[in-house]
Amino acid sequence: MDLINKFSGAFWSTHIWLPPNTTWADIAPGSRPDVVHADYRHLIWPIPLAAVVMLVRYTLERFWISPVGKSLGIRSSRPKKAANVPALEMAYAKSTRLDHKCLAPLAKQADMSERQIERWWRLRRAQDKPSTLVKFCENTWRCIYYLYSFIFGVIVLWDKPWFWDVKSCWYGYPHQSVSNDIWWYYMISMSFYWSLTATQFFDVKRKDFWQMFIHHMVTLLLMSLSWVCNLHRVGSLVLVVHDCADIFLEAAKLTKYANYQKVCDAIFAIFTVVWIVTRLGFYPRIIYSSSVEAPRILPMFPAYYIFNSLLLMLLVLHVIWTYMILKIVVDSLQKGLMSGDIRSSDSEDVTDSSENVRVANGSTRSKSKATAGGAGSGGVTQRKVNNHTAEGAATK
């Protein structure tokens, strides 16, 4: 027990997480009558709220999104099941990719020809893939959430000084009040990422399953630390910046599944513009403020360098993802349309963004929130980029 207490004391050292001459007691709730500090105990609220988010999602998908998808003619049928061959099932459980070196031994073991085994393998892989309707429902839900989160974020931040002047994130730090609307914005964003973490085990399985799991956990960690350290102002900015582009990404996916090719192409073009404006325009402005303006206003401390380094790493990822997106745009223009699944569950997909975006263009594939980023986490990581990353230091 003493060892745990020593470790906890060393980890939460005020010399690391707070500005000089500031203690945890100084920013504890109720420490100052004129400031409502963030309460670390409130970080438990996003977990039960995540259950509410999952219930809302289930209700919408079951009673609205799925019927709409069926009315659009989206397939809900599953592929034909492969025959139950124990020897092949054991080999498939070890690896979903067929090793042609093992074809001859498998043929003898299963008493089948090599061609029959290849056909069985294709059926077995197709059997594991979700129907188009399932993917349509998942992407529609994410589109709805990102739309709500972005609109709610803009409404919440509209009257906040740091929304219009990023330098206001640092004035008066760490004694900055958390208003009720910012509290709800943070808690709901975190509850969404908790819900993604839980439902990931039941949603469409993708090649980047564990990468996205780690992304969601890192996003939650960064949002939690930014809350504890009272860095909610810059965290809220990162969240809203990352949510914006994810709306159009998810919309492009769902229109692809609905076979509205021209609409999909148009939305993807809008997504590309919005992505560049928000991720390489507005977001670097936040980076400039945290890297150049903040040191002129605040005394520096180790946690500042930790958070700012993660924000800079996220910017590097945005540049890489932008390159991949632009490659897709060029290929689309050359081929005349975006062909293939925008974010397939195929194991040959290539991970893309914030929530990790995948967009298939013929044979070229490249996700984000966004968690939109999030950075966030909400926000700081995508959704966002959800999808989604640390989709955001100090949040998504």
Side-chain angles (χ1 to χ4, degrees):
M1 195 65 181
D2 289 340
L3 184 61
I4 295 175
N5 289 333
K6 287 181 180 179
F7 175 79
S8 177
F11 181 82
W12 292 110
S13 171
T14 56
H15 299 296
I16 297 175
W17 298 104
L18 298 175
N21 303 317
T22 305
T23 66
W24 292 114
D26 294 333
I27 64 169
S31 60
R32 291 178 57 163
D34 58 328
V35 179
V36 180
H37 292 99
D39 190 339
Y40 73 91
R41 292 170 297 185
H42 291 173
L43 291 175
I44 195 67
W45 281 107
I47 296 178
L49 282 174
V52 176
V53 171
M54 288 187 283
L55 179 62
V56 172
R57 173 184 175 176
Y58 173 79
T59 304
L60 285 176
E61 289 188 359
R62 176 78 180 272
F63 299 105
W64 181 56
I65 301 174
S66 183
V68 169
K70 290 178 181 177
S71 69
L72 293 172
I74 298 175
R75 289 187 302 106
S76 60
S77 59
R78 301 296 297 273
K80 179 182 176 182
K81 285 191 175 182
N84 185 19
V85 183
L88 296 183
E89 286 288 353
M90 289 179 61
Y92 184 83
K94 294 179 181 178
S95 175
T96 57
R97 286 182 176 274
L98 179 59
D99 186 352
H100 289 274
K101 295 179 181 178
C102 300
L103 266 179
L106 282 174
K108 290 182 180 180
Q109 195 174 356
D111 192 23
M112 298 168 65
S113 67
E114 292 186 2
R115 178 163 293 187
Q116 286 176 320
I117 291 176
E118 290 175 340
R119 188 179 299 113
W120 182 94
W121 212 274
R122 285 194 296 270
L123 282 174
R124 187 64 182 82
R125 290 189 66 180
Q127 182 181 319
D128 283 346
K129 293 180 181 179
S131 67
T132 304
L133 182 63
V134 170
K135 293 186 284 186
F136 173 82
C137 290
E138 178 185 328
N139 292 124
T140 303
W141 157 248
R142 292 185 183 225
C143 183
I144 291 171
Y145 172 79
Y146 289 133
L147 179 62
Y148 146 78
S149 183
F150 176 70
I151 293 174
F152 182 55
V154 171
I155 292 173
V156 166
L157 293 171
W158 192 262
D159 62 346
K160 305 297 187 291
W162 62 91
F163 187 64
W164 305 100
D165 182 7
V166 186
K167 287 188 294 184
S168 297
C169 288
W170 320 113
Y171 294 139
Y173 180 81
H175 302 293
Q176 298 170 338
S177 289
V178 179
S179 58
N180 287 333
D181 50 4
I182 288 291
W183 190 93
W184 278 107
Y185 186 42
Y186 242 79
M187 295 299 118
I188 294 175
S189 295
M190 292 186 69
S191 68
F192 176 73
Y193 280 98
W194 275 117
S195 72
L196 285 184
T197 303
T199 58
Q200 189 179 9
F201 292 89
F202 310 101
D203 281 339
V204 178
K205 293 294 188 296
R206 307 189 189 281
K207 185 181 178 182
D208 63 347
F209 177 88
W210 288 111
Q211 292 94 321
M212 288 305 298
F213 179 81
I214 294 171
H215 162 266
H216 298 331
M217 296 308 297
V218 170
T219 296
L220 287 165
L221 176 64
L222 290 172
M223 290 190 71
S224 299
L225 290 176
S226 69
W227 182 261
V228 171
C229 296
N230 233 37
L231 287 165
H232 55 271
R233 289 189 176 183
V234 67
S236 61
L237 287 181
V238 176
L239 275 171
V240 76
V241 164
H242 282 76
D243 283 342
C244 186
D246 288 336
I247 299 169
F248 299 99
L249 175 66
E250 301 298 337
K253 295 176 189 178
L254 65 91
T255 53
K256 181 66 180 180
Y257 295 140
N259 290 321
Y260 289 102
Q261 185 63 58
K262 291 184 178 179
V263 177
C264 172
D265 293 340
I267 294 176
F268 187 75
I270 297 172
F271 159 74
T272 303
V273 174
V274 173
W275 172 280
I276 293 173
V277 170
T278 56
R279 305 294 178 101
L280 298 185
F282 295 154
Y283 183 67
R285 174 66 184 91
I286 298 174
I287 296 292
Y288 174 80
S289 182
S290 66
S291 302
V292 178
E293 295 173 342
R296 297 172 181 171
I297 300 172
L298 293 174
M300 293 295 96
F301 52 104
Y304 159 82
Y305 296 106
I306 295 172
F307 284 120
N308 204 53
S309 297
L310 292 171
L311 289 172
L312 287 167
M313 288 173 60
L314 186 57
L315 179 60
V316 173
L317 290 175
H318 288 337
V319 173
I320 296 171
W321 291 331
T322 302
Y323 169 76
M324 297 170 71
I325 291 169
L326 291 177
K327 277 189 65 177
I328 293 170
V329 172
V330 171
D331 290 341
S332 299
L333 292 174
Q334 290 176 346
K335 295 181 180 180
L337 77 163
M338 277 176 48
S339 59
D341 186 353
I342 292 184
R343 187 185 179 198
S344 169
S345 55
D346 195 315
S347 61
E348 294 177 1
D349 285 350
V350 178
T351 299
D352 178 283
S353 122
S354 81
E355 265 54 169
N356 279 335
V357 174
R358 278 199 187 96
V359 182
N361 178 34
S363 61
T364 304
R365 297 175 187 249
S366 153
K367 312 209 57 61
S368 200
K369 182 71 145 42
T371 94
S377 342
V380 174
T381 131
Q382 164 178 1
R383 332 343 38 51
K384 270 118 137 260
V385 250
N386 42 175
N387 31 172
H388 187 77
T389 76
E391 275 289 35
T395 72
K396 193 171 179 174

